[in-house]
Amino acid sequence: MKIFSYNEYIKCIHTLRLNAVLQLAEENSSYNIKKKTTHNKHDKLMKSILRNKKEISNLINQFLEPKELIKEENLIRYTNSYISKKYKSKEADIVYKLKDKEIYFLIEHQSSIDSSMPYRILNYCIDIIQEWCKSNRNKKMIKYPIVVPIVIYTGDTKWRVQTNFKDRQISTRVFERYKINLEYNLIDVNKLSTNMLLKSKSMFGYGMLIEKSKNKEDLRNNINLIIRQTENKYELEELSDIINYILNDILEETEQEDLLNKIYRKVGENSMSTLYDRLLAETKNTLKQGRMEGIMSIIKNMLSMNFDDQTILKATNVKKEELEKIKSEMKVG
């Protein structure tokens, strides 16, 4: 397991006067980082999964293999996203903290190659510790926290970026001992087999398998594998959400309907009411924001799930004439 400890922190802050070094690097380096948007399918899929503490505990236990298993209830979501105050254009994805321990898990998702990743991870780790210092400035004899950096890569090409910051520093025998030894943990989807991801029996593993899909046919086949693999109703319902709201403009409507029907047959009728309740809650939220386009999308999804007209009218509060128009467009009888 790769960590960033107090010793490395001291080297960064005091020995190398890191603030000056980072300022110089920021002024003279050029970064080729693609901006993340909410429309990015990779980011939306992985971030939705990584916000689940159960998935994070599974991820840490499976890929980092700590001596003591990390339990879901012992994880605390630190922030929605940890933004460096010095470098506001760079944003870490998610930070979790162990309950009652000053140990932080910094998780960064990448769908494309970023050659500045060692520097970015270093910056995030420093900032986390600095923020921790500010909140504990009145305490005496304190020990500094540990940051465990994790980079999840779901791109197509091979990850060729160094995982240790010291490998990006100049070579010198005389001052070799002063290099910053900070290495992040890399989880590369290209190195994970389909069988391994299926055996993980977790939404993170299934999400990574979806990310491995090279084309639409591959995507459809992988989703079918997941449906056959899992008996967990929660995972199946999460998969239905992914198909409905994240992959909705990648898969054809007939493909979506086929996959959703397989899920609903496996979930069983008892869980259909739960699905309806979630759709109803989402519809109410959409109505409040006045997004008619979102309502239309929900109606189409409910039609593809074979909900009856009365249920759809009750859930969406649209007029029967509007419903008939949508059904006509979708060629639904």
Side-chain angles (χ1 to χ4, degrees):
M1 184 189 301
K2 313 300 187 305
I3 64 174
F4 184 62
S5 66
Y6 174 59
N7 289 334
E8 282 75 33
Y9 173 69
I10 289 297
K11 284 184 181 180
C12 293
I13 297 299
H14 298 293
T15 307
L16 296 179
R17 297 181 180 179
L18 185 64
N19 287 335
V21 174
L22 292 182
Q23 184 178 358
L24 182 64
E26 181 72 9
E27 292 172 354
N28 292 285
S29 298
S30 60
Y31 298 100
N32 183 24
I33 303 171
K34 294 183 179 179
K35 293 183 179 179
K36 298 177 181 179
T37 67
T38 56
H39 301 294
N40 188 301
K41 296 297 178 183
H42 296 279
D43 289 343
K44 286 177 66 176
L45 174 57
M46 293 311 299
K47 284 184 178 180
S48 67
I49 293 172
L50 295 175
R51 288 189 179 96
N52 187 310
K53 291 195 293 183
K54 180 179 179 181
E55 297 303 325
I56 295 298
S57 63
N58 288 337
L59 181 156
I60 294 170
N61 292 329
Q62 181 178 2
F63 292 97
L64 272 63
E65 300 180 342
K67 292 183 179 180
E68 295 183 10
L69 291 180
I70 303 297
K71 297 180 180 179
E72 174 188 354
E73 57 269 23
N74 290 334
L75 286 172
I76 302 170
R77 181 79 176 277
Y78 188 48
T79 55
N80 288 330
S81 60
Y82 193 87
I83 302 175
S84 164
K85 291 184 177 179
K86 297 193 202 84
Y87 311 105
K88 293 182 180 179
S89 62
K90 313 297 185 292
E91 180 179 331
D93 278 352
I94 295 174
V95 178
Y96 283 88
K97 178 185 179 298
L98 274 186
K99 188 183 295 183
D100 301 324
K101 290 185 179 180
E102 298 306 323
I103 298 176
Y104 296 85
F105 296 94
L106 164 66
I107 303 170
E108 173 72 13
H109 169 238
Q110 281 294 126
S111 56
S112 59
I113 299 293
D114 183 356
S115 60
S116 69
M117 186 55 66
Y119 165 76
R120 285 175 57 194
I121 293 296
L122 174 65
N123 191 32
Y124 298 150
C125 291
I126 290 292
D127 278 355
I128 289 173
I129 293 179
Q130 285 182 333
E131 289 300 312
W132 183 90
C133 289
K134 289 179 183 178
S135 62
N136 292 273
R137 65 182 62 178
N138 295 326
K139 294 183 180 180
K140 296 181 179 179
M141 300 297 292
I142 59 175
K143 290 191 175 181
Y144 294 81
I146 285 176
V147 182
V148 182
I150 304 168
V151 174
I152 299 168
Y153 175 59
T154 56
D156 295 331
T157 56
K158 186 176 180 180
W159 184 266
R160 299 181 183 277
V161 182
Q162 295 90 336
T163 56
N164 197 313
F165 184 79
K166 69 178 183 180
D167 294 330
R168 296 300 300 271
Q169 294 181 276
I170 62 172
S171 298
T172 168
R173 287 191 303 168
V174 177
F175 299 105
E176 188 72 19
R177 59 178 293 192
Y178 297 106
K179 284 188 174 183
I180 300 172
N181 185 22
L182 168 60
E183 186 171 5
Y184 57 84
N185 301 273
L186 177 64
I187 300 175
D188 186 347
V189 68
N190 297 293
K191 295 183 178 180
L192 305 176
S193 68
T194 297
N195 286 336
M196 177 186 176
L197 293 173
L198 285 173
K199 287 180 180 179
S200 71
K201 294 185 178 181
S202 68
M203 284 309 300
F204 175 75
Y206 299 151
M208 293 286 275
L209 182 56
I210 290 172
E211 293 289 282
K212 278 176 67 74
S213 304
K214 304 299 183 184
N215 49 53
K216 190 187 295 185
E217 182 181 359
D218 201 18
L219 173 63
R220 190 172 59 248
N221 290 337
N222 284 335
I223 294 176
N224 275 311
L225 284 174
I226 297 169
I227 295 173
R228 289 197 294 270
Q229 164 74 27
T230 182
E231 300 293 333
N232 186 296
K233 289 185 177 181
Y234 159 76
E235 292 171 356
L236 288 166
E237 289 179 354
E238 287 292 302
L239 184 60
S240 73
D241 281 349
I242 290 172
I243 295 170
N244 266 318
Y245 307 117
I246 297 180
L247 304 177
N248 59 326
D249 60 354
I250 297 177
L251 296 168
E252 301 292 338
E253 286 189 14
T254 54
E255 295 172 323
Q256 282 184 272
E257 184 176 351
D258 177 62
L259 293 170
L260 289 171
N261 283 334
K262 289 178 181 177
I263 291 174
Y264 301 140
R265 284 196 295 270
K266 197 164 188 178
V267 169
E269 293 183 3
N270 292 336
S271 293
M272 290 298 285
S273 60
T274 302
L275 180 61
Y276 168 74
D277 289 340
R278 290 193 294 126
L279 283 168
L280 181 58
E282 181 180 342
T283 301
K284 288 180 178 178
N285 182 56
T286 303
L287 283 167
K288 288 180 181 179
Q289 299 180 44
R291 297 203 303 258
M292 199 61 194
E293 183 180 342
I295 297 172
M296 294 301 118
S297 176
I298 291 170
I299 292 174
K300 289 179 180 179
N301 286 329
M302 294 182 78
L303 286 170
S304 69
M305 292 182 251
N306 297 318
F307 281 102
D308 61 78
D309 288 2
Q310 290 303 316
T311 300
I312 296 173
L313 291 171
K314 180 181 176 182
T316 61
N317 201 30
V318 299
K319 295 180 180 180
K320 186 171 179 61
E321 294 80 12
E322 293 173 322
L323 176 59
E324 291 300 328
K325 182 179 179 181
I326 295 171
K327 290 171 65 177
S328 176
E329 292 173 355
M330 292 181 64
K331 297 182 181 179
V332 176

